[in-house]
Amino acid sequence: MLCDILTDNRNRTAPEIRKIFELANGNLGASGCVSWMFDRKGLVIIAADTVDENSLMEVALEAGADDVKQVGDKFEVTCDPDSLSDLTVALDNSRIETEVKQVTRLPQNTI
């Protein structure tokens, strides 16, 4: 798991986060030790039964999306994090309902 944490006191926060991971049989790595394996992307998830793939592709690519792919019964639209607001406005204007709109980190490789 990759976590972005905002704190005013790193010396107090790190032990608290380490304890949370240890309770779940995990461990806390050094700062930045795995972040190179993830890309920061904007992600929009849309139910596949609510929209046609071609119309979604047209709207999304014109609004700055990088990729549109179907995963199960959902469409995943990815974009540059700076383009996420433009993409969500374009989808809203096209009356395409979204389930998730967020900036996230996506793995470069999956197992």
Short mmCIF file of all heavy atoms in Angstrom, two decimals, residues 29-87:
data_model
loop_
_atom_site.label_atom_id
_atom_site.label_comp_id
_atom_site.label_asym_id
_atom_site.label_seq_id
_atom_site.Cartn_x
_atom_site.Cartn_y
_atom_site.Cartn_z
N GLY A 29 7.95 1.08 5.13
CA GLY A 29 9.24 1.21 4.47
C GLY A 29 9.77 2.63 4.60
O GLY A 29 9.11 3.52 5.14
N ALA A 30 10.95 2.84 4.10
CA ALA A 30 11.55 4.17 4.12
C ALA A 30 10.80 5.09 3.17
O ALA A 30 10.16 4.63 2.21
CB ALA A 30 13.02 4.07 3.72
N SER A 31 10.89 6.36 3.41
CA SER A 31 10.21 7.34 2.58
C SER A 31 10.67 7.23 1.13
O SER A 31 11.85 7.28 0.83
CB SER A 31 10.51 8.74 3.12
OG SER A 31 9.84 9.71 2.37
N GLY A 32 9.71 7.04 0.21
CA GLY A 32 10.02 6.97 -1.21
C GLY A 32 10.54 5.64 -1.71
O GLY A 32 10.94 5.53 -2.86
N CYS A 33 10.52 4.59 -0.89
CA CYS A 33 11.15 3.32 -1.28
C CYS A 33 10.39 2.60 -2.40
O CYS A 33 10.98 1.80 -3.12
CB CYS A 33 11.35 2.41 -0.08
SG CYS A 33 9.84 1.80 0.67
N VAL A 34 9.09 2.81 -2.56
CA VAL A 34 8.35 2.15 -3.63
C VAL A 34 7.60 3.13 -4.53
O VAL A 34 6.96 2.72 -5.49
CB VAL A 34 7.34 1.11 -3.08
CG1 VAL A 34 8.05 -0.02 -2.38
CG2 VAL A 34 6.31 1.75 -2.20
N SER A 35 7.68 4.40 -4.25
CA SER A 35 6.90 5.38 -5.02
C SER A 35 7.29 5.41 -6.50
O SER A 35 6.48 5.77 -7.34
CB SER A 35 7.02 6.77 -4.41
OG SER A 35 8.35 7.22 -4.46
N TRP A 36 8.50 5.00 -6.83
CA TRP A 36 8.93 4.99 -8.22
C TRP A 36 8.16 3.97 -9.06
O TRP A 36 8.15 4.05 -10.29
CB TRP A 36 10.44 4.71 -8.31
CG TRP A 36 10.84 3.39 -7.74
CD1 TRP A 36 11.16 3.11 -6.44
CD2 TRP A 36 10.95 2.15 -8.45
NE1 TRP A 36 11.46 1.79 -6.29
CE2 TRP A 36 11.34 1.17 -7.52
CE3 TRP A 36 10.76 1.78 -9.78
CZ2 TRP A 36 11.53 -0.15 -7.88
CZ3 TRP A 36 10.96 0.46 -10.12
CH2 TRP A 36 11.35 -0.49 -9.18
N MET A 37 7.46 3.04 -8.42
CA MET A 37 6.70 2.02 -9.15
C MET A 37 5.26 2.43 -9.43
O MET A 37 4.49 1.67 -9.98
CB MET A 37 6.69 0.71 -8.34
CG MET A 37 8.05 0.09 -8.18
SD MET A 37 8.03 -1.55 -7.44
CE MET A 37 7.36 -1.25 -5.82
N PHE A 38 4.89 3.67 -9.07
CA PHE A 38 3.52 4.15 -9.25
C PHE A 38 3.52 5.46 -10.01
O PHE A 38 4.43 6.27 -9.87
CB PHE A 38 2.86 4.37 -7.88
CG PHE A 38 2.65 3.10 -7.11
CD1 PHE A 38 3.67 2.55 -6.35
CD2 PHE A 38 1.43 2.44 -7.15
CE1 PHE A 38 3.49 1.38 -5.63
CE2 PHE A 38 1.25 1.27 -6.44
CZ PHE A 38 2.27 0.74 -5.68
N ASP A 39 2.46 5.67 -10.82
CA ASP A 39 2.27 6.93 -11.53
C ASP A 39 1.10 7.67 -10.90
O ASP A 39 0.06 7.06 -10.61
CB ASP A 39 1.95 6.67 -13.01
CG ASP A 39 3.12 6.08 -13.76
OD1 ASP A 39 4.27 6.48 -13.47
OD2 ASP A 39 2.89 5.24 -14.65
N ARG A 40 1.25 8.96 -10.71
CA ARG A 40 0.16 9.78 -10.18
C ARG A 40 -0.75 10.13 -11.35
O ARG A 40 -0.31 10.73 -12.34
CB ARG A 40 0.75 11.03 -9.54
CG ARG A 40 -0.24 11.82 -8.76
CD ARG A 40 0.48 12.85 -7.89
NE ARG A 40 -0.48 13.66 -7.20
CZ ARG A 40 -0.88 14.86 -7.59
NH1 ARG A 40 -0.36 15.39 -8.68
NH2 ARG A 40 -1.78 15.51 -6.91
N LYS A 41 -2.02 9.73 -11.25
CA LYS A 41 -2.97 9.91 -12.35
C LYS A 41 -4.32 10.36 -11.82
O LYS A 41 -4.69 10.08 -10.68
CB LYS A 41 -3.20 8.58 -13.09
CG LYS A 41 -2.02 8.07 -13.86
CD LYS A 41 -1.90 8.80 -15.16
CE LYS A 41 -0.89 8.14 -16.05
NZ LYS A 41 -0.81 8.80 -17.32
N GLY A 42 -5.09 11.01 -12.67
CA GLY A 42 -6.49 11.26 -12.41
C GLY A 42 -7.26 10.03 -12.85
O GLY A 42 -6.97 9.45 -13.91
N LEU A 43 -8.24 9.60 -12.06
CA LEU A 43 -9.00 8.39 -12.37
C LEU A 43 -10.48 8.69 -12.25
O LEU A 43 -10.93 9.23 -11.24
CB LEU A 43 -8.62 7.26 -11.41
CG LEU A 43 -9.41 5.96 -11.52
CD1 LEU A 43 -9.13 5.27 -12.86
CD2 LEU A 43 -9.08 5.04 -10.37
N VAL A 44 -11.23 8.32 -13.29
CA VAL A 44 -12.68 8.44 -13.29
C VAL A 44 -13.24 7.07 -13.61
O VAL A 44 -12.81 6.44 -14.58
CB VAL A 44 -13.18 9.48 -14.32
CG1 VAL A 44 -14.68 9.56 -14.32
CG2 VAL A 44 -12.57 10.84 -14.05
N ILE A 45 -14.17 6.60 -12.79
CA ILE A 45 -14.79 5.29 -13.01
C ILE A 45 -16.26 5.51 -13.34
O ILE A 45 -16.96 6.26 -12.65
CB ILE A 45 -14.63 4.37 -11.79
CG1 ILE A 45 -13.13 4.11 -11.55
CG2 ILE A 45 -15.40 3.07 -11.98
CD1 ILE A 45 -12.81 3.26 -10.35
N ILE A 46 -16.71 4.83 -14.40
CA ILE A 46 -18.07 4.98 -14.92
C ILE A 46 -18.66 3.59 -15.12
O ILE A 46 -17.99 2.72 -15.67
CB ILE A 46 -18.05 5.76 -16.25
CG1 ILE A 46 -17.41 7.14 -16.03
CG2 ILE A 46 -19.45 5.87 -16.84
CD1 ILE A 46 -16.97 7.81 -17.30
N ALA A 47 -19.91 3.41 -14.72
CA ALA A 47 -20.59 2.13 -14.94
C ALA A 47 -20.75 1.91 -16.44
O ALA A 47 -21.21 2.80 -17.16
CB ALA A 47 -21.93 2.11 -14.24
N ALA A 48 -20.41 0.72 -16.93
CA ALA A 48 -20.43 0.43 -18.36
C ALA A 48 -21.84 0.39 -18.93
O ALA A 48 -22.03 0.65 -20.12
CB ALA A 48 -19.71 -0.89 -18.65
N ASP A 49 -22.82 0.07 -18.09
CA ASP A 49 -24.19 -0.02 -18.61
C ASP A 49 -24.88 1.33 -18.74
O ASP A 49 -26.01 1.41 -19.21
CB ASP A 49 -25.03 -0.96 -17.74
CG ASP A 49 -25.12 -0.51 -16.30
OD1 ASP A 49 -24.45 0.47 -15.93
OD2 ASP A 49 -25.88 -1.15 -15.54
N THR A 50 -24.20 2.43 -18.36
CA THR A 50 -24.82 3.75 -18.43
C THR A 50 -24.36 4.58 -19.62
O THR A 50 -24.91 5.64 -19.87
CB THR A 50 -24.53 4.56 -17.15
OG1 THR A 50 -23.13 4.76 -17.03
CG2 THR A 50 -25.08 3.85 -15.92
N VAL A 51 -23.36 4.08 -20.36
CA VAL A 51 -22.80 4.89 -21.45
C VAL A 51 -22.26 3.98 -22.55
O VAL A 51 -21.82 2.86 -22.30
CB VAL A 51 -21.69 5.83 -20.91
CG1 VAL A 51 -20.51 5.04 -20.41
CG2 VAL A 51 -21.27 6.84 -21.94
N ASP A 52 -22.29 4.49 -23.76
CA ASP A 52 -21.74 3.80 -24.92
C ASP A 52 -20.22 4.07 -24.96
O ASP A 52 -19.78 5.20 -24.74
CB ASP A 52 -22.41 4.33 -26.20
CG ASP A 52 -21.80 3.76 -27.45
OD1 ASP A 52 -21.75 2.52 -27.57
OD2 ASP A 52 -21.36 4.57 -28.30
N GLU A 53 -19.44 3.03 -25.24
CA GLU A 53 -17.99 3.16 -25.21
C GLU A 53 -17.48 4.20 -26.21
O GLU A 53 -16.59 4.98 -25.89
CB GLU A 53 -17.33 1.81 -25.50
CG GLU A 53 -15.82 1.86 -25.39
CD GLU A 53 -15.16 0.50 -25.55
OE1 GLU A 53 -15.84 -0.47 -25.90
OE2 GLU A 53 -13.94 0.43 -25.31
N ASN A 54 -18.04 4.24 -27.41
CA ASN A 54 -17.57 5.19 -28.42
C ASN A 54 -17.84 6.64 -28.02
O ASN A 54 -16.98 7.50 -28.19
CB ASN A 54 -18.21 4.89 -29.77
CG ASN A 54 -17.71 3.60 -30.37
OD1 ASN A 54 -16.58 3.19 -30.11
ND2 ASN A 54 -18.55 2.95 -31.16
N SER A 55 -19.02 6.91 -27.47
CA SER A 55 -19.31 8.29 -27.05
C SER A 55 -18.46 8.69 -25.85
O SER A 55 -17.99 9.82 -25.77
CB SER A 55 -20.80 8.46 -26.74
OG SER A 55 -21.21 7.59 -25.71
N LEU A 56 -18.24 7.75 -24.93
CA LEU A 56 -17.37 8.03 -23.79
C LEU A 56 -15.95 8.32 -24.27
O LEU A 56 -15.31 9.27 -23.81
CB LEU A 56 -17.36 6.86 -22.81
CG LEU A 56 -16.37 6.95 -21.66
CD1 LEU A 56 -16.66 8.16 -20.78
CD2 LEU A 56 -16.37 5.68 -20.84
N MET A 57 -15.45 7.51 -25.18
CA MET A 57 -14.11 7.69 -25.72
C MET A 57 -13.97 9.06 -26.38
O MET A 57 -12.98 9.76 -26.15
CB MET A 57 -13.80 6.58 -26.74
CG MET A 57 -12.43 6.65 -27.34
SD MET A 57 -11.17 5.73 -26.47
CE MET A 57 -11.77 4.10 -26.56
N GLU A 58 -14.96 9.46 -27.15
CA GLU A 58 -14.92 10.74 -27.84
C GLU A 58 -14.86 11.91 -26.85
O GLU A 58 -14.00 12.79 -26.96
CB GLU A 58 -16.14 10.88 -28.75
CG GLU A 58 -16.18 12.17 -29.54
CD GLU A 58 -17.41 12.24 -30.43
OE1 GLU A 58 -17.89 11.19 -30.89
OE2 GLU A 58 -17.88 13.36 -30.63
N VAL A 59 -15.76 11.90 -25.88
CA VAL A 59 -15.81 12.99 -24.89
C VAL A 59 -14.53 13.02 -24.06
O VAL A 59 -13.93 14.07 -23.83
CB VAL A 59 -17.04 12.83 -23.97
CG1 VAL A 59 -16.99 13.80 -22.81
CG2 VAL A 59 -18.33 13.02 -24.77
N ALA A 60 -14.09 11.85 -23.60
CA ALA A 60 -12.93 11.77 -22.71
C ALA A 60 -11.65 12.22 -23.41
O ALA A 60 -10.87 13.00 -22.84
CB ALA A 60 -12.78 10.36 -22.18
N LEU A 61 -11.41 11.75 -24.61
CA LEU A 61 -10.17 12.10 -25.30
C LEU A 61 -10.13 13.57 -25.67
O LEU A 61 -9.07 14.20 -25.62
CB LEU A 61 -9.98 11.21 -26.52
CG LEU A 61 -9.72 9.73 -26.21
CD1 LEU A 61 -9.58 8.92 -27.49
CD2 LEU A 61 -8.51 9.54 -25.32
N GLU A 62 -11.29 14.15 -26.02
CA GLU A 62 -11.33 15.58 -26.32
C GLU A 62 -11.07 16.42 -25.07
O GLU A 62 -10.58 17.54 -25.16
CB GLU A 62 -12.68 15.97 -26.93
CG GLU A 62 -12.84 15.53 -28.36
CD GLU A 62 -14.18 15.92 -28.94
OE1 GLU A 62 -14.92 16.69 -28.30
OE2 GLU A 62 -14.48 15.45 -30.05
N ALA A 63 -11.38 15.87 -23.89
CA ALA A 63 -11.20 16.60 -22.64
C ALA A 63 -9.83 16.38 -22.02
O ALA A 63 -9.55 16.90 -20.93
CB ALA A 63 -12.28 16.20 -21.65
N GLY A 64 -8.96 15.61 -22.65
CA GLY A 64 -7.60 15.44 -22.15
C GLY A 64 -7.30 14.11 -21.49
O GLY A 64 -6.28 13.97 -20.82
N ALA A 65 -8.16 13.11 -21.67
CA ALA A 65 -7.90 11.79 -21.07
C ALA A 65 -6.75 11.11 -21.79
O ALA A 65 -6.53 11.31 -22.99
CB ALA A 65 -9.15 10.93 -21.15
N ASP A 66 -6.01 10.30 -21.04
CA ASP A 66 -4.92 9.51 -21.61
C ASP A 66 -5.42 8.17 -22.14
O ASP A 66 -4.96 7.69 -23.17
CB ASP A 66 -3.85 9.21 -20.56
CG ASP A 66 -3.15 10.47 -20.08
OD1 ASP A 66 -3.10 11.45 -20.83
OD2 ASP A 66 -2.64 10.44 -18.94
N ASP A 67 -6.35 7.55 -21.42
CA ASP A 67 -6.79 6.20 -21.77
C ASP A 67 -8.20 5.95 -21.26
O ASP A 67 -8.60 6.48 -20.22
CB ASP A 67 -5.83 5.18 -21.14
CG ASP A 67 -6.02 3.77 -21.66
OD1 ASP A 67 -6.64 3.60 -22.72
OD2 ASP A 67 -5.55 2.84 -20.99
N VAL A 68 -8.94 5.14 -22.02
CA VAL A 68 -10.25 4.65 -21.61
C VAL A 68 -10.23 3.15 -21.79
O VAL A 68 -9.96 2.67 -22.89
CB VAL A 68 -11.39 5.26 -22.47
CG1 VAL A 68 -12.73 4.69 -22.07
CG2 VAL A 68 -11.40 6.78 -22.36
N LYS A 69 -10.48 2.42 -20.70
CA LYS A 69 -10.50 0.96 -20.84
C LYS A 69 -11.62 0.38 -20.00
O LYS A 69 -11.99 0.93 -18.96
CB LYS A 69 -9.15 0.33 -20.48
CG LYS A 69 -8.73 0.50 -19.05
CD LYS A 69 -7.38 -0.14 -18.84
CE LYS A 69 -6.87 0.16 -17.44
NZ LYS A 69 -5.57 -0.40 -17.20
N GLN A 70 -12.14 -0.74 -20.47
CA GLN A 70 -13.21 -1.41 -19.75
C GLN A 70 -12.61 -2.48 -18.87
O GLN A 70 -11.83 -3.32 -19.31
CB GLN A 70 -14.23 -2.03 -20.70
CG GLN A 70 -15.43 -2.58 -19.98
CD GLN A 70 -16.58 -2.92 -20.91
OE1 GLN A 70 -16.49 -2.75 -22.11
NE2 GLN A 70 -17.67 -3.38 -20.33
N VAL A 71 -12.97 -2.44 -17.59
CA VAL A 71 -12.52 -3.42 -16.61
C VAL A 71 -13.77 -3.98 -15.96
O VAL A 71 -14.41 -3.33 -15.15
CB VAL A 71 -11.59 -2.77 -15.55
CG1 VAL A 71 -11.17 -3.80 -14.52
CG2 VAL A 71 -10.40 -2.12 -16.20
N GLY A 72 -14.14 -5.20 -16.38
CA GLY A 72 -15.38 -5.79 -15.87
C GLY A 72 -16.58 -5.01 -16.35
O GLY A 72 -16.75 -4.77 -17.54
N ASP A 73 -17.41 -4.57 -15.41
CA ASP A 73 -18.62 -3.81 -15.78
C ASP A 73 -18.43 -2.32 -15.56
O ASP A 73 -19.39 -1.57 -15.40
CB ASP A 73 -19.81 -4.32 -14.98
CG ASP A 73 -19.63 -4.17 -13.49
OD1 ASP A 73 -18.49 -3.95 -13.05
OD2 ASP A 73 -20.64 -4.25 -12.76
N LYS A 74 -17.18 -1.85 -15.60
CA LYS A 74 -16.86 -0.43 -15.41
C LYS A 74 -15.90 0.04 -16.49
O LYS A 74 -15.15 -0.74 -17.06
CB LYS A 74 -16.17 -0.21 -14.05
CG LYS A 74 -16.85 -0.82 -12.87
CD LYS A 74 -17.81 0.12 -12.25
CE LYS A 74 -18.33 -0.50 -10.96
NZ LYS A 74 -19.70 -0.28 -10.75
N PHE A 75 -15.95 1.34 -16.77
CA PHE A 75 -14.94 1.99 -17.61
C PHE A 75 -14.02 2.76 -16.69
O PHE A 75 -14.48 3.48 -15.79
CB PHE A 75 -15.57 2.96 -18.61
CG PHE A 75 -16.27 2.30 -19.75
CD1 PHE A 75 -17.64 2.37 -19.88
CD2 PHE A 75 -15.55 1.61 -20.72
CE1 PHE A 75 -18.29 1.77 -20.94
CE2 PHE A 75 -16.19 1.01 -21.79
CZ PHE A 75 -17.56 1.09 -21.90
N GLU A 76 -12.72 2.63 -16.89
CA GLU A 76 -11.73 3.40 -16.17
C GLU A 76 -11.12 4.41 -17.14
O GLU A 76 -10.54 4.02 -18.15
CB GLU A 76 -10.63 2.51 -15.59
CG GLU A 76 -11.08 1.64 -14.46
CD GLU A 76 -9.94 0.85 -13.84
OE1 GLU A 76 -8.79 0.92 -14.32
OE2 GLU A 76 -10.22 0.15 -12.85
N VAL A 77 -11.26 5.68 -16.82
CA VAL A 77 -10.70 6.75 -17.64
C VAL A 77 -9.56 7.37 -16.84
O VAL A 77 -9.77 7.80 -15.71
CB VAL A 77 -11.77 7.81 -17.96
CG1 VAL A 77 -11.19 8.89 -18.86
CG2 VAL A 77 -13.00 7.18 -18.60
N THR A 78 -8.36 7.38 -17.41
CA THR A 78 -7.22 7.97 -16.72
C THR A 78 -6.76 9.22 -17.46
O THR A 78 -6.93 9.33 -18.68
CB THR A 78 -6.04 6.98 -16.62
OG1 THR A 78 -5.70 6.53 -17.93
CG2 THR A 78 -6.40 5.80 -15.74
N CYS A 79 -6.19 10.14 -16.70
CA CYS A 79 -5.70 11.39 -17.27
C CYS A 79 -4.59 11.95 -16.40
O CYS A 79 -4.32 11.45 -15.31
CB CYS A 79 -6.85 12.40 -17.39
SG CYS A 79 -7.51 12.95 -15.80
N ASP A 80 -3.97 13.01 -16.87
CA ASP A 80 -3.00 13.75 -16.07
C ASP A 80 -3.76 14.38 -14.90
O ASP A 80 -4.89 14.83 -15.08
CB ASP A 80 -2.36 14.83 -16.95
CG ASP A 80 -1.26 15.55 -16.26
OD1 ASP A 80 -0.19 14.96 -16.06
OD2 ASP A 80 -1.50 16.72 -15.88
N PRO A 81 -3.19 14.41 -13.71
CA PRO A 81 -3.91 14.98 -12.56
C PRO A 81 -4.37 16.42 -12.79
O PRO A 81 -5.43 16.82 -12.31
CB PRO A 81 -2.89 14.92 -11.42
CG PRO A 81 -1.96 13.84 -11.80
CD PRO A 81 -1.89 13.86 -13.30
N ASP A 82 -3.61 17.19 -13.57
CA ASP A 82 -4.00 18.57 -13.85
C ASP A 82 -5.20 18.66 -14.78
O ASP A 82 -5.87 19.69 -14.83
CB ASP A 82 -2.83 19.34 -14.46
CG ASP A 82 -1.65 19.44 -13.51
OD1 ASP A 82 -1.88 19.44 -12.28
OD2 ASP A 82 -0.50 19.50 -13.99
N SER A 83 -5.51 17.61 -15.53
CA SER A 83 -6.63 17.59 -16.47
C SER A 83 -7.90 17.01 -15.87
O SER A 83 -8.93 16.96 -16.54
CB SER A 83 -6.26 16.77 -17.71
OG SER A 83 -5.12 17.28 -18.32
N LEU A 84 -7.84 16.54 -14.62
CA LEU A 84 -9.00 15.87 -14.02
C LEU A 84 -10.22 16.77 -13.95
O LEU A 84 -11.33 16.34 -14.27
CB LEU A 84 -8.65 15.33 -12.64
CG LEU A 84 -9.77 14.55 -11.93
CD1 LEU A 84 -10.15 13.31 -12.74
CD2 LEU A 84 -9.34 14.16 -10.54
N SER A 85 -10.06 18.02 -13.55
CA SER A 85 -11.23 18.90 -13.45
C SER A 85 -11.85 19.16 -14.82
O SER A 85 -13.07 19.17 -14.96
CB SER A 85 -10.87 20.20 -12.75
OG SER A 85 -9.91 20.92 -13.49
N ASP A 86 -11.03 19.35 -15.85
CA ASP A 86 -11.56 19.55 -17.21
C ASP A 86 -12.31 18.31 -17.68
O ASP A 86 -13.37 18.41 -18.31
CB ASP A 86 -10.43 19.86 -18.20
CG ASP A 86 -9.76 21.18 -17.91
OD1 ASP A 86 -10.39 22.06 -17.28
OD2 ASP A 86 -8.59 21.35 -18.31
N LEU A 87 -11.77 17.14 -17.38
CA LEU A 87 -12.40 15.89 -17.77
C LEU A 87 -13.75 15.70 -17.07
O LEU A 87 -14.74 15.36 -17.71
CB LEU A 87 -11.48 14.70 -17.46
CG LEU A 87 -12.03 13.31 -17.74
CD1 LEU A 87 -12.36 13.13 -19.22
CD2 LEU A 87 -11.02 12.26 -17.29
#
